[in-house]
Amino acid sequence: PNKSPMHPPAAERCLPLSSQIYPIHLPRETRTRRALLICNIEFEHLKRRNGAEVDVEGMTKLLEGLGYVVDKHCNLTSQGMVEVMKDFVNLREHRTSDSTFLVFMSHGVRAGLCGTKSRNETTDILSLDTIYEQFNNRRCQALLGKPKVVIIQSCRGGNRGSVMVSDSADPAMPTASSAHTIPEGLEDDAIFEVHLESDFATLHSSTPDTVSWRSPEKGSIFIQNLIEQFRNHACDSDLQEIFRKIQYSFGKFPWQLPSQERTTMLRKFYLFPGH
């Protein structure tokens, strides 16, 4: 009998390790890694993000050390951010790259990132959906099948990230959702289809509705910890393990917790495989 696509043979389930890791096809001398960094510091109606200059400098040095040429842009409206992303999507260098980093730093609200003309939660806001729409597999085919790492430093609301916890709790049992099944009898067509959105890994500086903290002298707590963990572990840990280490580093800082979201990585991503 035909096997369901959801239950491949044992031989397929036991894939070699190499097929579970994103490939780095080109040597360092010929690959052309590019990263996009957008940081809003000055605003027409909101407070200046003092210390954000330190974040820009630190992230630029980190990404350059990881082998990326960094396209930096500061103080953009939401539309300006969209135009910069469109230009970045069309770079020829992505064809001979293996990945990209997309770093966004600004004031923020639940719905997204504030542009420089933002007044409140509805004016001049870049929806986070727009980021994924610009870099999905329809719009950015040069990065098809390649890791797209999204780093977002912003507040997502005004709530504190900590809560008083009681030792006596009555946890609700999660309800099991019905399994998604694929109808039998499907055959391959001649047209090659791919997921509209895949190979993204996103780390947000805080959980939804909560604030992110920044020092006017040292920069954002999130960016500081991120840089430290990448410097210490990019040589031997895959990306999502580094993300976990960043989250763990906030264990004694209960006011903020970075959040992995909208992650569609199909393999492990090592920045320096083989090292």
Side-chain angles (χ1 to χ4, degrees):
N2 292 332
K3 292 197 177 282
S4 165
M6 296 297 289
H7 300 285
E12 292 181 26
R13 292 199 298 270
C14 299
L15 294 171
L17 184 62
S18 60
S19 68
Q20 300 175 43
I21 297 173
Y22 282 100
I24 309 296
H25 292 302
L26 296 170
R28 188 177 306 183
E29 297 75 27
T30 55
R31 65 177 177 240
T32 53
R33 285 179 170 174
R34 297 294 287 264
L36 176 64
L37 190 156
I38 296 176
C39 182
N40 287 341
I41 302 173
E42 305 275 0
F43 299 81
E44 292 186 11
H45 309 287
L46 305 175
K47 287 184 178 180
R48 188 180 193 277
R49 296 182 61 246
N50 293 319
E53 304 93 335
V54 180
D55 293 340
V56 172
E57 181 181 1
M59 281 303 301
T60 300
K61 288 182 178 178
L62 174 67
L63 292 169
E64 289 176 347
L66 295 174
Y68 294 86
V69 174
V70 184
D71 289 14
K72 285 186 291 186
H73 303 270
C74 293
N75 302 329
L76 301 174
T77 63
S78 57
Q79 185 57 40
M81 288 189 270
V82 171
E83 294 303 319
V84 162
M85 283 191 283
K86 287 181 177 178
D87 291 341
F88 187 77
V89 163
N90 293 323
L91 290 177
R92 295 178 61 87
E93 286 86 346
H94 293 316
R95 299 178 187 178
T96 45
S97 176
D98 51 46
S99 57
T100 189
F101 272 72
L102 310 168
V103 182
F104 300 86
M105 300 187 280
S106 185
H107 285 305
V109 295
R110 184 68 166 85
L113 295 158
C114 295
T116 52
K117 295 183 181 296
S118 179
R119 292 177 179 268
N120 51 43
E121 294 192 4
T122 59
T123 57
D124 198 21
I125 301 297
L126 176 73
S127 168
L128 298 184
D129 287 342
T130 304
I131 299 171
Y132 301 95
E133 289 166 2
Q134 291 298 323
F135 290 92
N136 68 23
N137 292 328
R138 176 185 294 135
R139 297 234 176 130
C140 189
Q141 295 189 12
L143 288 171
L144 174 65
K146 302 173 183 180
K148 294 165 277 284
V149 185
V150 183
I151 304 294
I152 302 173
Q153 162 60 45
S154 74
C155 288
R156 310 179 72 181
N159 296 339
R160 294 281 291 272
S162 59
V163 63
M164 296 299 289
V165 179
S166 169
D167 284 337
S168 60
D170 183 19
M173 293 297 292
T175 58
S177 60
S178 59
H180 177 69
T181 58
I182 299 176
E184 292 186 6
L186 295 181
E187 297 180 355
D188 289 337
D189 289 327
I191 299 173
F192 175 61
E193 292 192 69
V194 298
H195 297 287
L196 176 62
E197 181 178 311
S198 66
D199 310 296
F200 282 96
T202 304
L203 189 64
H204 209 299
S205 60
S206 62
T207 50
D209 299 311
T210 60
V211 298
S212 294
W213 297 90
R214 171 174 35 82
S215 162
E217 293 80 29
K218 297 181 180 180
S220 306
I221 305 293
F222 170 66
I223 297 297
Q224 291 177 52
N225 286 7
L226 182 148
I227 290 172
E228 180 181 4
Q229 296 302 325
F230 266 91
R231 284 179 174 165
N232 290 339
H233 300 289
C235 61
D236 56 16
S237 297
D238 71 273
L239 180 78
Q240 286 176 279
E241 174 62 12
I242 298 173
F243 278 5
R244 188 196 63 77
K245 292 177 185 294
I246 295 167
Q247 292 175 294
Y248 185 79
S249 71
F250 280 78
K252 296 182 179 179
F253 189 78
W255 302 278
Q256 178 182 342
L257 180 63
S259 175
Q260 293 192 52
E261 299 178 13
R262 201 156 174 168
T263 294
T264 53
M265 298 286 275
L266 303 178
R267 307 180 186 188
K268 293 183 177 182
F269 177 38
Y270 288 91
L271 285 148
F272 301 104
H275 290 268

